[in-house]
Amino acid sequence: MAELGLALGGGGARGLAHIGVLKVLEREKIEIHAITGCSMGSVIGALYVYYGSAEKVEEIVFNLLRETDLEELGIPVDDEKKNSSFWDSFVHEMKFRLQVVRSLQQLSLISEENAEKLFGFVPDAKIETLSPKFSVIATDLISGYEFNITKGNLRTAVKASSAIPGIFPPVRFDKMYFVDGSASESVPAGKVRELGADRVIAVDVSRELKAASIPQNVLEILYRTEDITSYHLSKERLQYADLIISPDIHHLDWADFKQAKKIIKEGEKAAESALPEIEKLLNRYSITLELEHLLKKFKS
């Protein structure tokens, strides 16, 4: 029997497309054996394995976006400030400069307290008790190694996998300081096999890499660096997937949360288009897939 694994990549707001993909798989009654998430992929994956409903995940996300002032936390959610009055622009710029000054005395733009509040919606559960199997990818700042976290507190693990360097504070776990898994693993197609999956569908929500304008502030530099890292890591790690679903959202920005509905819909459309290939994948012999993976490794 096929044991399907999902690798949900990171990409900020673009990662909301994972909800659309999960809605289609759930509707088609396609059984998922394991999910491994990175950054936003860890958030969506965690909510899904805990609640068992893509619609419930969607509801939680929309409630969070309505009730949380992301811009107040230091996460720009739109470009309205470009069309605002001089005074509004001035106040916005002063707030940003104050954040930067404060960040020189701490590890991130967003404080520990605000990070804790923001991730309060993630269930306080044990990863090893969840079904389907679940894990998240995070990177240890001290050793530089990436870890596939398969047990422990779910909320802590998701915070670690989503801790964008410079934006969110590192998450301490034992003697390690974890940051966003995208620092080392953008789309964890290989890691989900460690949970027992014998065939893997990767959902790639990385941003397309185009020439950009010169960054104007610290956040723009950090976001651009994340885009570059994510792009190159995605290309390398996607070779471990048997099938790649790529929603048409690669042109969107990391912080385009205002387009949540559109992003989720694009995830649905991409998954629906991939259904014939998913069915073929589920019906293939495991030994054939194993031989193909060995050939890929040999070529690389």
Side-chain angles (χ1 to χ4, degrees), residues 15 24 28 90 129 253 270 284 286:
V24 172
E28 298 297 321
F90 175 78
T129 65
D253 190 74
R284 296 187 68 188
S286 296

Side-chain angles (χ1 to χ4, degrees), residues 65-213:
L65 291 176
R66 278 194 298 268
E67 297 170 3
T68 306
D69 190 342
L70 296 177
E71 187 138 5
E72 191 66 29
L73 291 175
I75 303 174
V77 294
D78 55 36
D79 291 324
E80 290 179 0
K81 60 181 179 294
K82 292 180 180 178
N83 301 316
S84 60
S85 67
F86 170 80
W87 178 249
D88 288 338
S89 298
F90 175 78
V91 171
H92 184 278
E93 183 68 18
M94 289 302 100
K95 283 183 178 179
F96 173 77
R97 289 177 182 273
L98 181 59
Q99 275 187 309
V100 172
V101 171
R102 286 175 177 170
S103 71
L104 296 177
Q105 299 176 339
Q106 55 192 36
L107 295 176
S108 59
L109 288 175
I110 296 177
S111 68
E112 288 273 3
E113 181 182 6
N114 282 337
E116 192 64 33
K117 288 179 182 178
L118 184 60
F119 285 94
F121 68 95
V122 179
D124 187 14
K126 293 291 185 183
I127 297 174
E128 56 269 32
T129 65
L130 300 173
S131 181
K133 294 180 181 178
F134 182 65
S135 68
V136 307
I137 304 301
T139 306
D140 177 29
L141 275 177
I142 307 303
S143 67
Y145 289 110
E146 65 185 21
F147 287 83
N148 192 11
I149 302 175
T150 60
K151 60 183 179 180
N153 184 270
L154 182 65
R155 184 183 300 162
T156 301
V158 170
K159 280 178 59 183
S161 184
S162 307
I164 303 170
I167 307 297
F168 289 98
V171 176
R172 187 169 183 174
F173 188 84
D174 290 336
K175 295 182 180 180
M176 293 171 283
Y177 285 84
F178 283 126
V179 293
D180 192 332
S182 292
S184 61
E185 180 90 43
S186 183
V187 187
K191 297 300 183 183
V192 71
R193 295 184 188 279
E194 296 179 6
L195 300 182
D198 65 358
R199 57 206 70 199
V200 174
I201 295 176
V203 185
D204 178 23
V205 293
S206 59
R207 190 175 183 183
E208 61 185 354
L209 193 63
K210 290 185 176 180
S213 57

